[in-house]
Amino acid sequence: MKNKQLPLVSFVVTFHNEDFSLLRECLESIASLSLSKDEREIIVVDDGSDISPVNELDAYADELIYVRQPNRGLGAARNTGIAIATGAYIQFVDSDDFLLTTAYEKCLDIVRFNNPDIVMFNFSHNETPAKDIEAFNPEPVTGAEYMRNNSLRGKAWAYVFRRDILHNLRFPDDIVHEDEEFTPQLVLRSERLYHLDIPAYFYRRQVGVSSRKEDKRQSLKRLDDTLTVIRRLHRRADTLPYEERQAMSRKVAQLTMDYLHDIIVSTRSSHFLNERMKELESEGLFPLPEKSYTKRYMLFSRMMKSSAGRRLLLLTLPMVSKGKRV
């Protein structure tokens, strides 16, 4: 008797109270890929939804694994998917998003023929196919090299990765922004990273309705969790070899900039901003390093150094738009 072929890619789809029609659209985008049923594994992790979607999955009953668990957050749901996955590669997909078929097929070609550790790709808010996809033929770099030269996007669905580079790495399950902590650590484990500069993932923007009190509480929670991630990665950087430490330091600086930016746009409070700046300074995280990472980073870091610059930012930065995952 032959051993059963292991899947090439395990798709971990996380679900929590999203519209069933969006989940079906997500699953259809996976099923329509050129992978045979033996080459793909679809794992739906229901993170304690009010109503289980299991009755909506009949069309895929023979080709997916459905797991329901108590609501523990996105990080815990993804960890459940990792524990179940048997594929050589893992792709995370949020159940209200979907894969853009033509561009994602290019990612699969790299997976099949180039032996990558990670294939990164862009996302889009529309379904317009990318042009000249075949013209994109990236060369592999190490994860450390990529992070030293690029502002790393932390979204866990923005890449497909080789499962065996994980080792014991898992998502933190005590915070939001869990992928901002997970992704840089995963990328640094990569010896062959391909960045495909085309959108292969449809990221759905949704505007939620909530009270101002809930918005403020959620906003402060996100700020506190971002600071937790910054601190953890900062401590992690101190343990790394030089090149990897430089790469992680860029990510920490990027997150710290985003953290200060979010404080400004979500609180409009100079007092709160000053208190958090003092906290960062005591831990060696402020002022921001004088690096030419991006024009936006250089301008923001310079303005944050003076009280006049900070007042201008408090007055002029646009408010945060309330979306699915701010």
Side-chain angles (χ1 to χ4, degrees):
M1 182 178 178
K2 293 184 179 179
N3 293 328
K4 187 179 184 298
Q5 176 186 345
L6 293 178
L8 179 63
V9 184
S10 293
F11 296 90
V12 176
V13 179
T14 48
F15 178 87
H16 179 70
N17 289 337
E18 284 81 24
D19 190 290
F20 292 154
S21 66
L22 300 183
L23 174 60
R24 289 194 294 270
E25 186 176 16
C26 173
L27 296 176
E28 179 58 35
S29 76
I30 298 171
S32 65
L33 296 170
S34 62
L35 296 165
S36 69
K37 292 183 180 180
D38 288 335
E39 290 178 309
R40 70 173 183 249
E41 179 178 58
I42 305 174
I43 302 167
V44 176
V45 182
D46 176 1
D47 188 42
S49 295
D50 296 336
I51 301 174
S52 168
V54 68
N55 292 332
E56 305 294 322
L57 304 177
D58 286 348
Y60 306 95
D62 296 333
E63 46 183 306
L64 64 75
I65 300 167
Y66 171 76
V67 180
R68 182 172 171 84
Q69 65 183 31
N71 179 231
R72 291 160 46 208
L74 187 54
R78 287 173 173 158
N79 288 340
T80 296
I82 289 171
I84 295 170
T86 63
Y89 290 83
I90 293 177
Q91 171 70 60
F92 296 110
V93 191
D94 289 354
S95 61
D96 50 351
D97 299 335
F98 56 85
L99 302 175
L100 296 170
T101 305
T102 304
Y104 197 82
E105 288 288 355
K106 179 70 173 182
C107 300
L108 289 178
D109 285 345
I110 296 174
V111 166
R112 287 181 175 115
F113 304 117
N114 296 82
N115 194 34
D117 291 325
I118 295 177
V119 181
M120 284 192 159
F121 44 83
N122 298 341
F123 69 91
S124 177
H125 296 303
N126 63 68
E127 299 180 54
T128 304
K131 296 181 180 179
D132 301 322
I133 289 176
E134 293 307 315
F136 289 91
N137 294 295
E139 293 295 323
V141 296
T142 67
E145 181 180 352
Y146 180 84
M147 284 178 60
R148 287 198 311 273
N149 294 293
N150 297 274
S151 295
L152 178 68
R153 185 184 302 117
K155 299 301 185 184
W157 38 254
Y159 49 84
V160 56
F161 67 96
R162 186 186 298 277
R163 181 166 59 93
D164 63 13
I165 70 171
L166 270 173
H167 301 294
N168 63 346
L169 179 62
R170 296 295 183 272
F171 289 90
D173 58 9
D174 58 338
I175 57 171
V176 296
H177 299 307
E178 67 291 324
D179 43 2
E180 291 286 8
E181 183 172 341
F182 175 90
T183 295
Q185 295 184 79
L186 181 73
V187 169
L188 285 181
R189 297 173 185 225
S190 173
E191 294 298 323
R192 292 176 57 80
L193 182 150
Y194 290 78
H195 179 218
L196 193 60
D197 193 20
I198 55 174
Y201 186 97
F202 181 85
Y203 174 85
R204 194 182 304 275
R205 287 184 286 199
Q206 292 183 346
V207 177
V209 178
S210 57
S211 70
R212 291 183 180 179
K213 183 176 180 181
E214 288 175 331
D215 283 346
K216 183 177 180 180
R217 184 171 63 246
Q218 291 170 359
S219 177
L220 290 175
K221 164 67 173 169
R222 288 182 180 277
L223 288 173
D224 288 342
D225 286 353
T226 299
L227 182 55
T228 296
V229 172
I230 290 168
R231 285 168 168 160
R232 289 175 178 173
L233 294 181
H234 184 53
R235 289 195 296 268
R236 176 65 178 154
D238 289 339
T239 69
L240 297 173
Y242 177 77
E243 290 189 358
E244 293 183 9
R245 185 166 68 251
Q246 294 299 304
M248 185 66 84
S249 293
R250 173 169 180 158
K251 179 60 179 176
V252 169
Q254 174 191 340
L255 279 173
T256 305
M257 177 188 71
D258 291 343
Y259 170 67
L260 292 168
H261 177 279
D262 289 348
I263 288 173
I264 292 170
V265 298
S266 63
T267 71
R268 298 293 173 181
S269 168
S270 60
H271 175 74
F272 189 81
L273 177 63
N274 288 333
E275 288 298 310
R276 291 299 176 103
M277 283 167 47
K278 290 177 183 176
E279 199 171 353
L280 291 170
E281 188 172 12
S282 70
E283 300 178 46
L285 292 161
F286 188 84
L288 293 167
E290 293 186 4
K291 300 286 187 179
S292 56
Y293 293 141
T294 64
K295 290 181 179 179
R296 176 175 176 262
Y297 174 89
M298 289 189 291
L299 177 61
F300 185 86
S301 60
R302 288 170 185 166
M303 293 184 73
M304 285 297 298
K305 287 180 180 179
S306 70
S307 57
R310 294 192 291 272
R311 283 196 300 271
L312 186 60
L313 289 170
L314 283 162
L315 288 171
T316 60
L317 282 179
M319 294 295 291
V320 172
S321 60
K322 301 297 180 182
K324 177 174 73 169
R325 293 175 292 260
V326 176

